[in-house]
Amino acid sequence: SRGLGDVYKRQDAEMRVLELLSRGIPRPQIAEELCLSPHTVHNHIRNASVRIGVHKESELIAYAHKHNLFKEE
């Protein structure tokens, strides 16, 4: 069984992927930068979309910006 720490680690990874995606970084580069497989990046984006209740990547990015999920650099 998975512990609570595993849930937080997974959500942290999803947030890192979403942050890079919202900056306009392409999926292959996200995978490379985070040392993840492209499939894992896809899954993180899909899971975040389901959690938020959107269907398109553009909606996910818009949600992230609208709700200020990430600090401006």
Side-chain angles (χ1 to χ4, degrees), residues 13-33:
E14 286 176 14
M15 291 300 288
R16 288 193 306 269
V17 168
L18 181 54
E19 182 176 9
L20 294 176
L21 188 68
S22 72
R23 291 183 189 168
I25 298 174
R27 288 181 183 206
Q29 189 177 341
I30 292 171
E32 185 176 318
E33 286 189 27

Side-chain angles (χ1 to χ4, degrees), residues 2 36-37 39 73:
R2 288 187 242 188
L36 300 172
S37 74
H39 181 73
E73 291 187 357

